[in-house]
């Protein structure tokens, strides 16, 4: 049931620091080479700083992620003591736990991906790019919502995610009787993955394609 953490897709997601300039703009989401994380992508980051992260921030981001990406079945967002959010996610699959469900295939095709399985989606660049773009939109919505509400502190945004091929089940302890993820159990099961996502603190800004140092 369990996959080895070092085989999970690890990625970094972030918006440009439009907050401090009041622009709300963002660089195109793009991969940067040289990271030690498996298949990681580092994207333009908000400025560092310590934010007060609450479970409300986590749950709100989970709701946004689920509403933005129809292919995602479960999402558990954590901050792990950092000033950014990280997400463990699974995809909509058939009863075999591997083949993508029709809704997930449809979403994949909309991204230009021909992935048929969760493993295939994890390894597919177009599928990942679709996720990165969607999560960038989630970050932007959080920023815009904070501005509308007059919240002074920069909002805590999603910077990293790991797509895991394990399916969350009640029998496996990763689901509650309500069908929602058991947040504590997921955090414990994938503690190594979360630790790797949070290594090194806040990801450094990444350059947009075509930009010189």
């Amino acid at each position: 049931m369990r996959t080895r953490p070092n085989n999970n897709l690890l990625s970094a997601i972030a918006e440009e620091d439009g907050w401090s300039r009041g622009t709300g703009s963002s660089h195109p989401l793009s991969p940067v080479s040289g990271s030690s994380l498996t298949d990681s992508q580092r994207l333009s980051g908000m400025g560092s700083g310590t934010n007060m992260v609450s479970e409300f921030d986590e749950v709100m981001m989970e709701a946004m992620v689920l509403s933005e990406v129809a292919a995602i079945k479960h999402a558990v967002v954590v901050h792990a003591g950092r000033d950014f959010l990280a997400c463990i996610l699974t995809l909509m699959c058939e009863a075999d736990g591997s083949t993508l469900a029709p809704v997930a295939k449809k979403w994949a095709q909309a991204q230009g991906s021909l992935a048929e399985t969760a493993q295939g989606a994890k390894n597919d660049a177009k599928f990942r790019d679709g996720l990165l773009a969607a999560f960038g939109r989630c970050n932007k919505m959080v920023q815009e919502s904070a501005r509308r509400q007059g919240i002074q502190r920069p909002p805590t945004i999603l910077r990293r995610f790991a797509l895991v091929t394990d399916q969350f089940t009640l029998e496996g302890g990763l689901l509650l009787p309500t069908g929602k993820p058991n947040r504590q159990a997921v955090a414990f099961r994938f503690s190594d993955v979360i630790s790797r996502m949070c290594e090194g603190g806040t990801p450094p800004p990444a350059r947009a394609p075509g930009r010189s140092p």
Side-chain angles (χ1 to χ4, degrees), residues 138-156:
C138 291
N139 285 336
K140 189 172 183 179
M141 286 189 287
V142 168
Q143 292 172 324
E144 291 176 347
S145 176
R147 288 193 183 95
R148 287 196 302 270
Q149 296 178 49
I151 298 174
Q152 296 301 310
R153 70 173 176 87
T156 306

Side-chain angles (χ1 to χ4, degrees), residues 44-64:
S44 54
M46 287 181 63
S48 60
T50 302
N51 293 336
M52 296 296 293
V53 183
S54 68
E55 187 172 345
F56 175 78
D57 294 302
E58 298 169 346
V59 173
M60 180 174 67
M61 183 59 77
E62 286 172 7
M64 288 188 174

Side-chain angles (χ1 to χ4, degrees), residues 11 18 30 50 64 74 94 113 115 137 151 189 202:
S11 298
S30 58
T50 302
M64 288 188 174
H74 295 117
E94 301 283 11
S113 168
R137 292 192 296 271
I151 298 174
R189 174 77 64 86
T202 305

Side-chain angles (χ1 to χ4, degrees), residues 70-72 91-93 99-110 115 127:
I72 294 177
L91 300 178
M92 291 282 193
C93 289
T99 304
L100 293 181
V103 65
K105 289 181 181 178
K106 182 178 180 180
W107 188 90
Q109 291 166 3
F127 193 95

Side-chain angles (χ1 to χ4, degrees), residues 108-128:
Q109 291 166 3
Q111 318 311 310
S113 168
L114 299 178
E116 295 282 336
T117 65
Q119 184 66 43
K122 187 174 76 168
N123 296 331
D124 188 271
K126 290 182 178 180
F127 193 95
R128 296 195 306 271

